[in-house]
């Protein structure tokens, strides 16, 4: 079993991923912007008999990320699994997206991915073993109305996944992405009712997914059963994107 760091794991998809990895027997470092929120997920893991610790850090801040990874390494050991999940949603017509919001979206989703990977990758390479799973979105593949900044950031995550996979897979570190469709989380619930109603009607399954279903995909990608999966983007998306 391995040491796993899951960012943005205080709620929603991140919490479900952390809980699933803990249930699989991994030791999980639960990150969130709020320490108290991270502790909520840790308490749930402990209640289920798992091992976990809570760590607060803004993933877009280099100093905070480096300090967090250093502390995790002291507490449990260097992360051998990194799940870059931290993110947030924002919906607005393109002409109403402010430069500040555009920068914030990219800071969390793209810069955060880069900083956390940069902090964890050297130890994985030194060991010759590791797993990085980047949580993207199906919107990074097909785009979304009033979600240009968010979809653009998620497309960047997919591109980073493929590039890093080509660079480090031969060195024992497997890099993949998961691009969920709409999942029943606070992030999706924050979108307009009109958008959600229209989106459900587009889906072949006719429903949004659950966080636990995404957790199962991540569990697979870091398992030996996924040994041939490198640079892939798996899509638990209710049939919204078919590749």
């Amino acid at each position: 079993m391995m040491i796993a760091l899951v960012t943005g794991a205080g709620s929603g998809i991140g919490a479900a991923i952390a809980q699933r990895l803990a249930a699989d027997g991994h030791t999980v470092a639960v990150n969130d912007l709020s320490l108290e929120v991270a502790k909520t997920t840790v308490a749930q893991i402990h209640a289920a008999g798992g091992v976990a610790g809570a760590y607060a850090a803004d993933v877009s801040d280099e100093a905070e990320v480096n300090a967090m990874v250093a502390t995790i390494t002291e507490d449990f050991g260097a992360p051998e699994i990194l799940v870059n999940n931290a993110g947030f949603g924002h919906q607005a017509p393109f002409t109403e997206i402010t430069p500040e919001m555009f920068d914030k979206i990219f800071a969390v989703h793209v810069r955060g991915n880069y900083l956390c990977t940069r902090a964890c990758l050297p130890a994985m390479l030194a060991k010759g073993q590791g797993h990085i799973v980047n949580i993207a979105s199906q919107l990074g593949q097909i785009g979304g109305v009033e979600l240009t900044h968010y979809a653009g950031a998620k497309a960047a995550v997919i591109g980073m996944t493929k590039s890093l996979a080509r660079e480090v897979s031969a060195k024992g570190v497997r890099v993949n992405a998961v691009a969920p469709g709409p999942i029943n989380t606070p992030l999706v619930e924050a979108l307009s009712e009109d958008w959600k109603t229209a989106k459900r009607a587009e889906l072949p399954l006719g429903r949004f997914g659950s966080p636990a279903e995404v957790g199962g995909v991540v569990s697979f990608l870091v398992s030996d059963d996924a040994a041939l999966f490198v640079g892939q983007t798996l899509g638990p998306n209710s049939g919204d994107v078919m590749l």
Side-chain angles (χ1 to χ4, degrees), residues 143-233:
V145 176
E146 298 187 348
L147 292 163
T148 302
H149 49 339
Y150 180 83
K154 291 303 192 181
V157 167
I158 293 171
M160 291 169 67
T161 299
K162 295 176 182 179
S163 297
L164 187 61
R166 291 185 182 279
E167 186 173 333
V168 302
S169 60
K171 301 174 183 177
V173 180
R174 288 199 291 106
V175 186
N176 290 288
V178 177
I183 304 296
N184 288 314
T185 65
L187 187 151
V188 168
E189 289 303 314
L191 300 175
S192 69
E193 288 301 321
D194 287 346
W195 186 92
K196 288 182 284 187
T197 298
K199 195 64 191 178
R200 287 191 188 95
E202 295 176 0
L203 301 175
L205 283 185
R207 70 172 179 88
F208 293 171
S210 71
E213 289 173 309
V214 181
V217 178
V218 175
S219 173
F220 165 70
L221 282 175
V222 302
S223 73
D224 290 340
D225 289 337
L228 293 180
F229 284 73
V230 174
Q232 301 301 307
T233 299

Side-chain angles (χ1 to χ4, degrees), residues 10-230:
S11 63
I13 291 174
I17 292 170
Q19 290 164 0
R20 175 56 185 268
L21 292 179
D24 289 344
H26 302 297
T27 296
V28 182
V30 176
N31 158 263
D32 202 89
L33 194 58
S34 163
L35 184 61
E36 292 307 310
V37 172
K39 286 181 177 178
T40 300
T41 299
V42 169
Q44 294 168 338
I45 290 173
H46 287 170
V51 179
Y55 301 87
D58 176 351
V59 298
S60 69
D61 186 295
E62 180 182 4
E64 290 190 21
V65 168
N66 289 342
M68 172 181 67
V69 173
T71 302
I72 293 168
T73 301
E74 291 175 2
D75 292 346
F76 296 119
E80 299 152 290
I81 296 171
L82 169 63
V83 182
N84 284 307
N85 168 78
F88 70 100
H90 181 261
Q91 181 180 9
F94 182 82
T95 55
E96 296 178 15
I97 299 171
T98 65
E100 292 77 15
M101 179 53 69
F102 183 91
D103 289 346
K104 184 176 181 180
I105 284 280
F106 271 76
V108 174
H109 293 268
V110 182
R111 177 180 167 85
N113 182 302
Y114 158 74
L115 289 176
C116 291
T117 300
R118 185 171 180 265
C120 294
L121 184 59
M124 294 181 186
L125 292 174
K127 189 174 182 179
Q129 176 183 343
H131 302 275
I132 298 172
V133 180
N134 297 322
I135 305 302
S137 168
Q138 102 282 17
L139 296 177
Q141 298 170 311
I142 61 174
V145 176
E146 298 187 348
L147 292 163
T148 302
H149 49 339
Y150 180 83
K154 291 303 192 181
V157 167
I158 293 171
M160 291 169 67
T161 299
K162 295 176 182 179
S163 297
L164 187 61
R166 291 185 182 279
E167 186 173 333
V168 302
S169 60
K171 301 174 183 177
V173 180
R174 288 199 291 106
V175 186
N176 290 288
V178 177
I183 304 296
N184 288 314
T185 65
L187 187 151
V188 168
E189 289 303 314
L191 300 175
S192 69
E193 288 301 321
D194 287 346
W195 186 92
K196 288 182 284 187
T197 298
K199 195 64 191 178
R200 287 191 188 95
E202 295 176 0
L203 301 175
L205 283 185
R207 70 172 179 88
F208 293 171
S210 71
E213 289 173 309
V214 181
V217 178
V218 175
S219 173
F220 165 70
L221 282 175
V222 302
S223 73
D224 290 340
D225 289 337
L228 293 180
F229 284 73
V230 174

